[in-house]
Structures are given as C-alpha cells and as structure tokens.
Amino acid sequence: MKKIRWGIRFELVLLAATVCIILVKEIRMGNRKETLPVQEEVNESGEAVEVSADGNYIKWVDFNITCEAMSKAYELDVASYKDEIHVDWIDLLAYVGTLNGGKFDKKSVSKIQETAEKLQSGETTIEELTEDMEYFDYYKEAYDAVLGGMVGEFSIETPGSDSGEKEWKNYYGLKAFSPIAKGFDYSHYDDFGSSRSYGYARPHLGHDMMGQIGTPIIAIESGYVEAIGWNQYGGWRIGIRSFDGKRYYYYAHMRQNFPYNKELEEGSIVTAGDVIGYMGHTGYSVKENVNNIEVVHLHWGLELIFDESQKDSNNEIWIDCYELTKFLYRNRSETIKDEETKEWHRIYNMKDPAVEKATEERSSSGTDF
C-alpha cells in the first residue's frame, strides 16, 4: 500500500510539474495575454495594488528588433507616407516578428522589404497576410507599446536659407530623439540583464551610456514628468510618462548639485528633444546628492505599462534598449549653453501635436495628468 501511495504521489507531482512547464512555455512563446484570476498583487513596498479583474493584458515583452530592421521599416513607412498605400512600420515589424517568434536576423531586413513591396503593389493587405497568425495581435500591441509615439507629423525649426533666421517646417518622420545631445561623445554596449548587487541582487533593467559629467540629457519622447528627485538606486533621476500612458522613461544618475533643467517639476510637460538634465554618477546611497557610482554615465530605461497595476510592482516590464538606442542615434538634439545660467537648451524647437493636445486638455480640465 505504501508503494502504491508513493507511486500516486509521484505521478501527481510529475503531472503538476508538466502543467507548470506547459504554462510557462505558452507564456514565453507568445501567449502573453493569458487570463489569470488575480485580484491584487504586491509591490516592492509590500503594498497591495489592484489589477484588472481578469488579468487580460500583456505580462511580458521580449523586444529583440535590431536597429537594421527598425531602420528599414521606418524608411519604408516614411517613403510611402503620401502614397495611395501607406505601409506602417509597426505592422511590418509585427508581421516579421510573428513569423520568427520575435527574433530578428539578417534575413529580417529583406523580409520587411519584400512585405512592403507586396502591400504597396496591392497584391495583398496586412489583414490578409496575418488573418491566420495566432500571435500577430500580440506582437502588434507589444511593438506599438514600445514604438507607438516615435513616428508621426511634427513641425521643427530649421536654419534659414538666406536671412539666417530660423524657419518652421512640417515633417512626417521620427519625432523621438537620442537621449544624448548632438556633439557629445558616449560609449555603450548591451548590458541589459547583467547583475547588480547594491541593496539586493537584481538584473540591470536599463541601458548605460558612458560619457562626461554635465553632458546634456535629452527627452526621448514627449510626455510629462511623473517622478523627479532622489532615489537611492538611481541617484538624481527623472521619470517621464508618455501621453498615452504606455511608456515610462527612466533617466538616472544625474549630475551632483546640478541634475536637472531648473524649470522641471512633477507634472511638467516636456517635448521630445528638450534638455531635461545632465549626466553624472549619483546614486547607491540613502543620503541625497552622493556620488557612489564609479563610472559617469546615463542609465536610461523603458518600462511598458499595459495595466496600471504593473507600475511600481513586481510585474514591471522593462525592455532591452540597446538596439533602440542605436536606432535613435539618427535623431540627436542640437544644444547650446547659456553661460549666464549654465543651462543647456535645444537650438531648434519642435511643435509636437501630442504636446499641443495634452496642453489643451490640461487647460480645459484644469487638472494635472
């Protein structure tokens, strides 16, 4: 009898382990919108946070799109903007991502080109191409969460042709910027996921760009300041939320004594390309304004938020930004220093429709975000 009971127990344990493996595999391989009956979760402070009743939102994103793939899809999008058939760069990336299980290689660029040609010729549509793809909607939503605010219409000042006066011109294209101002050198490598030990053992959930103290740090996308001040891990840091709420940009280790643009405060609206702060090496201290980081650098991270319960919880989604940083290099904000105030400012201002809309909404409602 004992042998039978132990045999039954062993089979039950084996069955439970098999079920767990299957569930984990489904989640990791793309079925990220699983519905779980979770009503609340606990953040790092031990506080309960509410979640959606059915948990029906994306829980995990592996962002593996190469700079080359993003560049090709982006160029095809811009080139076709005024054509009868406009190809959307996120559609192209999501289609190829779905074909390859989220992986991008050298062949992905030619596949993006081939797909765009089929769409523009009228041979097929994105709906027809993806109608039998189980996970296309997942990749489309995931990639849109990362890249959705980066391309669109905008106006920007340009050098005048004759008079020397700046002129406003309208464009459609990349309205997101590199986080490092034009003309300032930096070095970087893919360090996402590497270990960190201060406070507790944890992976590195951002991207480090090494440079000189005081290098102007640029707002990558337009949005509003959600957090500003001291954090023992990030030192002087700024958190900027996109207007659609999907992206939280985290800029850390700002300069000692002079970390930010002096006009910024919680709730401030910023435009992509604005100078928001200055590179330093503050952090790793519960005491404010301390340089305990050995190497001068900007740590910037991008958190995706599909449900507000994910923000400041144990279920945060941070993506690898290395390839995205390489892609954004094509658009760097040119800056100039005010010798009187010691502040750096952008030379060419930009009018972003997203900023104008948010400003109008704030004025009409009389409330902050």
Side-chain angles (χ1 to χ4, degrees), residues 145-192:
V146 180
L147 305 170
M150 295 189 177
V151 173
E153 295 179 339
F154 62 95
S155 301
I156 196 165
E157 290 179 322
T158 59
S161 53
D162 299 320
S163 64
E165 295 290 328
K166 297 175 186 175
E167 299 176 354
W168 284 96
K169 290 188 177 180
N170 299 325
Y171 291 94
Y172 173 85
L174 187 62
K175 58 177 185 174
F177 288 79
S178 166
I180 302 294
K182 185 176 181 179
F184 290 85
D185 293 333
Y186 65 87
S187 61
H188 68 143
Y189 60 94
D190 192 353
D191 57 347
F192 187 81

Side-chain angles (χ1 to χ4, degrees), residues 236 253-259 279-282 289-291:
W236 294 123
H253 310 312
M254 300 294 199
R255 184 177 185 174
Q256 186 182 51
N257 299 321
F258 199 163
M279 187 183 292
H281 54 119
T282 58
N289 206 34
V290 174
N291 285 329

Side-chain angles (χ1 to χ4, degrees), residues 119-149:
L119 294 173
Q120 279 221 286
S121 68
E123 177 182 338
T124 187
T125 65
I126 194 67
E127 291 77 17
E128 291 172 345
L129 280 176
T130 62
E131 62 181 349
D132 294 325
M133 287 184 162
E134 184 178 359
Y135 298 127
F136 175 77
D137 288 344
Y138 159 75
Y139 283 106
K140 175 66 183 291
E141 185 176 353
Y143 293 167
D144 183 69
V146 180
L147 305 170

Side-chain angles (χ1 to χ4, degrees), residues 212-285:
Q212 296 183 337
I213 289 178
T215 296
I217 305 305
I218 303 300
I220 296 169
E221 183 185 347
S222 300
Y224 64 93
V225 177
E226 186 172 278
I228 187 169
W230 184 263
N231 175 289
Q232 67 167 313
Y233 302 102
W236 294 123
R237 57 60 166 123
I238 299 178
I240 296 177
R241 190 80 169 262
S242 62
F243 293 123
D244 64 7
K246 296 178 181 179
R247 289 167 295 286
Y248 178 73
Y249 295 90
Y250 179 73
Y251 308 82
H253 310 312
M254 300 294 199
R255 184 177 185 174
Q256 186 182 51
N257 299 321
F258 199 163
Y260 316 122
N261 178 323
K262 294 176 182 177
E263 297 178 356
L264 292 183
E265 59 185 17
E266 191 172 310
S268 295
I269 291 177
V270 297
T271 300
D274 286 352
V275 176
I276 57 173
Y278 306 96
M279 187 183 292
H281 54 119
T282 58
Y284 282 16
S285 173

Side-chain angles (χ1 to χ4, degrees), residues 17-81:
T18 303
V19 171
C20 289
I21 291 171
I22 292 171
L23 287 173
V24 170
K25 185 176 180 180
E26 284 187 357
I27 293 171
R28 298 292 295 182
M29 292 302 291
N31 188 18
R32 310 289 164 77
K33 288 183 137 185
E34 72 282 12
T35 58
L36 300 174
V38 178
Q39 299 303 317
E40 67 177 26
E41 293 164 355
V42 178
N43 64 21
E44 292 181 0
S45 301
E47 301 168 330
V49 291
E50 294 183 359
V51 302
S52 297
D54 59 1
N56 190 24
Y57 53 85
I58 291 177
K59 309 288 196 308
W60 186 259
V61 173
D62 281 324
F63 187 75
N64 299 314
I65 307 178
T66 62
C67 172
E68 293 75 15
M70 280 184 274
S71 295
K72 173 55 70 175
Y74 165 72
E75 289 159 6
L76 291 165
D77 183 314
V78 173
S80 65
Y81 180 58

